[in-house]
Amino acid sequence: MSTTAVPATQGRLAFPSNFWWGAATAAYQIEGAVDTDGRTPSIWDTFAAQPGRIDGGDTGATSTGHYRRYREDVRLMAELGLSAYRFSVAWPRIRPAGGAGVNAAGLDFYDRLVDELLAGGVRPVATLYHWDLPQELEDAGGWTNRDTALRFADYAAAVAGRLGDRVAMWNTLNEPWCSAFLGYGTGGHAPGRRGHVGALTATHHLLLAHGLGVAALRAANVAGQVSVALNAGAVRPLTSSAEDADAARRIDGLLNRIFFDPILRGVYPADTIEDTRDLTDWHFVHPGDLPVIAAPLDAICVNYYQPDLVSAAPAGRLDHGTPYPTAQAVQFHPTPGPVTHMGWSVDPTGLRDLLLRIRTDYGDRPIYVTENGAAYDDHVEPDGAVDDPERIGYLRGHLAAVHEAITAGVDLRGYFVWSLLDNFEWAFGFSRRFGLIHVDYATLARTVKASGRWYARAIADNAIDEPRTGDQRAESA
Ligand code: FCB
């Protein structure tokens, strides 16, 4: 199937007829019920309990209460008209304590969720690993231990055996860059370990887990597409100098190509291996790993938030806190223009460029944008409304960028807003709201925001209004 034929009407951008309009969440960010039905702690329970790790001392212990309220949430999805919902499965619900036993009660929850989604006309898209590693596996070395990749394959097989007949698309991993470079590099994410060698080791074991996970899904004969969600971005040099071009090349290697190349070409980027030579000889890559990692996929999924603007740092101004190994001499710059409540720049051209680049460098293949969205400081007004025009501007601008890529021939089949609901935003706790639906954390009441209604309209029309020049800035300022 090709998605390239997009009818154009004046002022309107129409999407291909079978385009997936989705929204995404992740288990630890929404479920709560951390001790329920046999679940054991993950690295995020442990990390969030440590003082100073999470803004406001927040944890995911209750969060949005989705574990108990999933029926209400699916009803809201159906009201919005979503054609797909991307959720993640919590590993410690399925294989408590990371052990060999399968917890039927954990599988039952996702089984009910999937059936509820299908009954509501919403395609289930399941991510197997959205960062909640069973704590016992971390105690044995976590992602720096090769054995964790093998455990992941066992866990994937258990989930596939139960849900494989009904899930429309699988993501083995969500954003392995964050797991490796924040979890084991800077320590800003769970498990909070610091060290660039650990980050590179974890990267390889995550990639191996992906490959073994693909094999487990194929062995289970799953009906849906098999894929992986990478946080990718356009990396731009600040000036046309050779030094800035080299800074951009180095970061592009450590953000994008270190994942895309092994998965889609079966090799690590030679320049990245060379860049990191002083840190490691990459002995953790065993003969035979790369063909496993490069197992054919049905689609590639990308999560996009903002582009990166980089330069060579002025002499003596090294960034010792960088998550990027051997990139202390690279400086990151704010992109001119509006930013979200995360401080992330609003630049839809970065999404368009990323999509075009994947096609140019990795060939014509089905692509989904499995996360895109923005945090703003939303409030429920006295009349009960949540007005979030900036988020509408953000979504419209980025959907227009998606449309541009489709028109240019990219086989882009779907788009998922991050997020369905306001939720636990990792180290930021509940202080950042990304949802199409507002959550009152005191009462757990849900309120569809204006952006949620706007998105529902877009889904119903299978089209959006073309952004006017300056819209993005006006709506996001
Ligand atoms: C991504 C994560 C997702 C969410 C968004 C804002 O990196 O995959 O869980 O936190 O950022």
Side-chain angles (χ1 to χ4, degrees):
M1 178 203 74
S2 165
T3 51
T4 51
V6 184
T9 324
Q10 193 61 32
R12 298 282 284 165
L13 302 175
F15 285 76
S17 55
N18 36 17
F19 192 72
W20 292 13
W21 296 89
T25 62
Y28 188 69
Q29 293 181 275
I30 64 164
E31 286 178 357
V34 292
D35 301 320
T36 306
D37 291 342
R39 182 189 183 275
T40 56
S42 79
I43 54 175
W44 272 95
D45 298 270
T46 309
F47 186 74
Q50 294 166 0
R53 294 294 202 181
I54 312 292
D55 280 4
D58 293 339
T59 78
T62 304
S63 193
T64 76
H66 170 80
Y67 192 80
R68 296 190 204 294
R69 290 170 176 255
Y70 73 93
R71 283 202 175 83
E72 175 186 352
D73 291 337
V74 174
R75 208 162 41 240
L76 287 165
M77 295 179 216
E79 271 172 39
L80 294 179
L82 296 188
S83 37
Y85 169 58
R86 175 174 178 256
F87 61 96
S88 82
V89 177
W91 187 341
R93 289 197 194 280
I94 309 305
R95 287 188 176 262
V102 175
N103 176 31
L107 282 173
D108 289 348
F109 170 69
Y110 297 103
D111 196 79
R112 292 194 298 271
L113 172 65
V114 162
D115 281 347
E116 196 76 15
L117 287 165
L118 291 171
V122 184
R123 287 182 188 86
V125 172
T127 301
L128 288 168
Y129 186 66
H130 203 127
W131 307 354
D132 41 5
L133 185 70
Q135 181 60 41
E136 287 76 4
L137 295 187
E138 175 55 30
D139 296 342
W143 288 110
T144 62
N145 179 356
R146 184 177 172 92
D147 188 54
T148 300
L150 310 181
R151 302 296 190 94
F152 176 77
D154 295 341
Y155 152 65
V159 182
R162 186 70 175 273
L163 307 181
D165 55 337
R166 286 158 292 154
V167 163
M169 181 162 68
W170 297 85
N171 288 160
T172 51
L173 308 178
N174 176 72
E175 303 191 358
W177 183 91
C178 293
S179 301
F181 290 77
L182 304 180
Y184 294 85
T186 64
H189 276 192
R193 285 161 65 182
R194 295 173 66 105
H196 290 312
V197 177
L200 292 170
T201 311
T203 296
H204 180 66
H205 293 150
L206 282 153
L207 281 164
L208 183 61
H210 158 75
L212 294 170
V214 171
L217 293 168
R218 298 294 186 204
N221 250 319
V222 294
Q225 302 175 65
V226 174
S227 184
V228 59
L230 303 176
N231 52 312
V235 183
R236 296 167 170 164
L238 184 66
T239 73
S240 55
S241 74
E243 291 77 14
D244 289 359
D246 196 60
R249 176 203 58 74
R250 183 179 290 261
I251 298 302
D252 180 55
L254 288 163
L255 172 66
N256 297 315
R257 290 181 287 114
I258 197 172
F259 296 102
F260 281 102
D261 283 17
I263 290 172
L264 299 178
R265 293 181 177 159
V267 289
Y268 277 108
D271 59 324
T272 300
I273 294 196
E274 209 38 56
D275 286 343
T276 55
R277 247 321 155 215
D278 288 348
L279 282 178
T280 175
D281 60 4
W282 290 65
H283 61 275
F284 41 77
V285 182
H286 292 191
D289 285 356
L290 282 159
V292 171
I293 294 169
L297 298 178
D298 302 311
I300 190 84
C301 296
V302 291
N303 298 350
Y304 169 87
Y305 290 91
Q306 62 169 349
D308 286 309
L309 186 61
V310 301
S311 71
R317 289 268 304 277
L318 296 186
D319 175 4
H320 294 291
T322 182
Y324 293 96
T326 69
Q328 286 85 351
V330 175
Q331 198 178 352
F332 284 76
H333 300 267
T335 308
V339 295
T340 69
H341 195 200
M342 296 295 281
W344 296 349
S345 58
V346 178
D347 186 353
T349 66
L351 177 55
R352 178 203 60 203
D353 291 354
L354 169 67
L355 296 170
L356 295 175
R357 186 264 179 108
I358 294 172
R359 176 152 168 268
T360 307
D361 288 0
Y362 299 99
D364 202 5
R365 51 178 81 240
I367 305 178
Y368 293 81
V369 175
T370 35
E371 285 183 27
N372 178 239
Y376 291 104
D377 192 12
D378 306 312
H379 299 281
V380 183
E381 302 299 330
D383 67 356
V386 181
D387 284 323
D388 55 344
E390 300 96 339
R391 185 172 291 102
I392 295 174
Y394 184 98
L395 296 177
R396 181 190 283 129
H398 286 77
L399 276 160
V402 162
H403 189 275
E404 206 179 326
I406 294 173
T407 307
V410 174
D411 189 2
L412 198 297
R413 299 191 180 183
Y415 171 92
F416 294 71
V417 175
W418 184 270
S419 178
L420 177 74
L421 302 166
D422 291 342
N423 61 50
F424 177 81
E425 177 46 38
W426 308 114
F428 294 90
F430 297 107
S431 69
R432 298 293 187 279
R433 295 181 176 274
F434 274 92
L436 294 170
I437 298 172
H438 181 276
V439 176
D440 177 331
Y441 293 111
T443 62
L444 302 186
R446 275 81 164 132
T447 306
V448 178
K449 301 179 190 177
S451 60
R453 306 215 178 280
W454 177 87
Y455 195 53
R457 185 77 255 154
I459 299 171
D461 293 351
N462 203 38
I464 59 168
D465 282 335
E466 203 164 357
R468 290 179 305 269
T469 320
D471 251 14
Q472 192 60 44
R473 190 154 304 215
E475 288 181 3
S476 306

